[in-house]
Amino acid sequence: MPTLFEKIIAGDIPATVLHRDSRVIAFLDIRPAAPVHILIVPNKPIPTANDIADEDESLIGHMFIVARDLARQQGIAESGYRLIVNCNADGGQEVYHLHLHLLGGRPLGPMVSRIST
Ligand code: 5GP
């Protein structure tokens, strides 16, 4: 079964695509958590961060380069942004196709609540 993001990559499910190259696609998140919320997704369907192979090192680096460039294009490079990869249940992962969230456009607050104050 292709993942949801494979269907977006194939054009079978519509998305607002901001970047596409031979290794990754980047599109707007359908339920944005910030004024800028972009998903950077490898074309290769790696299920989770646990499944990243040594040979994917360059691909993972490329995802960050694309995120950097999109942050500049969106005008949030200087104000700041957050890059997130959720992994498995405790990480809150919903779609099991590796992706990098690029979030910004407002102060995002603490990353997660502290165990104790
Ligand atoms: P995760 O929780 O797996 O890290 O993030 C999955 C993200 O995919 C969520 O932020 C969710 O809003 C987004 N998403 C789920 N379904 C779709 C869809 O059909 N299209 C787009 N563009 N984003 C989606």
Side-chain angles (χ1 to χ4, degrees):
M1 280 285 287
T3 67
L4 173 65
F5 291 167
E6 281 181 281
K7 292 177 185 171
I8 289 176
I9 291 163
D12 295 335
I13 292 178
T16 304
V17 176
L18 303 181
H19 173 91
R20 184 193 286 272
D21 63 38
S22 62
R23 290 188 281 174
V24 305
I25 187 171
F27 51 85
L28 297 181
D29 196 293
I30 204 166
R31 287 183 287 120
V36 175
H37 190 169
I38 299 168
L39 302 175
I40 297 120
V41 182
N43 294 339
K44 176 182 176 182
I46 301 167
T48 79
N50 290 330
D51 303 299
I52 296 169
D54 291 355
E55 68 190 24
D56 297 326
E57 188 170 347
S58 161
L59 172 61
I60 302 304
H62 184 60
M63 290 169 66
F64 277 81
I65 295 294
V66 170
R68 176 202 67 189
D69 290 348
L70 286 167
R72 285 182 185 149
Q73 287 170 22
Q74 296 291 317
I76 60 170
E78 299 309 318
S79 54
Y81 54 91
R82 185 169 292 157
L83 297 172
I84 298 174
V85 175
N86 296 321
C87 180
N88 279 340
D90 280 3
Q93 185 172 2
E94 294 174 20
V95 178
Y96 281 77
H97 183 144
L98 185 73
H99 50 283
L100 188 58
H101 294 255
L102 167 60
L103 294 148
R106 66 168 173 82
L108 295 168
M111 185 172 63
V112 290
S113 52
R114 303 275 175 195
I115 289 174
S116 60
T117 53

